[in-house]
Amino acid sequence: MASWDVFRELDNLRREIDEAFRGAGMNRPFGPTFLSPVTSRRFPMVNFSEDEGNVYVEALVPGVDPKDVELSVLRNTLTISGERKPFAEIKGIVHRTELGSGKFSRTLELPVDIDANKITAQCKDGIMTITMAKAEHAKPKKIEIKLS
């Protein structure tokens, strides 16, 4: 006598739902897709931090040629846009294609104004590191207290 396994049943249900939406132009909303219509607004995924003088952004851009990425800064917003070129055409029977391609754009609101003349970017191993100097008026200033 076979026993009922709730996890197996849930997995089967998930597969049936995936299959039902396949071909309808929809992917799983929280799946690991690269540029699906649902997740493209969040691409590239980023970390950003700051210290006294700079704001740092690390953007995850695997498989994207750095020449195909454009960065622009306007006051306290950074826009990262570009395109991931399609991979070589697969011949034969395709069982799964999860490596997406296409154009992307993401705009980040930064916590302070940036000096547009002091921005550097480098890309290594699919991670683009952007270093932006804070505008002079945005840097903390030490105020000396006079004794009277």
Side-chain angles (χ1 to χ4, degrees), residues 29-40:
F30 301 108
T33 58
F34 180 74
L35 295 175
S36 73
V38 175
T39 60
S40 63

Side-chain angles (χ1 to χ4, degrees), residues 48-50 55 76-77 108-114 132 134 138:
F48 78 90
S49 60
E50 67 176 301
V55 174
N76 66 337
T77 59
L108 302 169
E109 186 173 339
L110 303 171
V112 296
D113 288 345
I114 299 299
M132 299 169 282
K134 291 181 179 178

Side-chain angles (χ1 to χ4, degrees), residues 54-57 118-122 129-133:
N54 296 301
V55 174
Y56 306 95
V57 174
K118 296 180 180 176
I119 300 173
T120 61
Q122 60 182 9
T129 303
I130 306 160
T131 304
M132 299 169 282

Side-chain angles (χ1 to χ4, degrees), residues 3 21 31 41 43-44 57 64 68 78 85 89 100 103 105 115 121-122 133:
S3 63
F21 286 103
R41 287 181 287 154
F43 187 84
V57 174
V64 178
D68 295 330
L78 168 69
K85 304 283 186 196
E89 186 174 321
K103 294 184 178 183
S105 180
D115 184 344
Q122 60 182 9

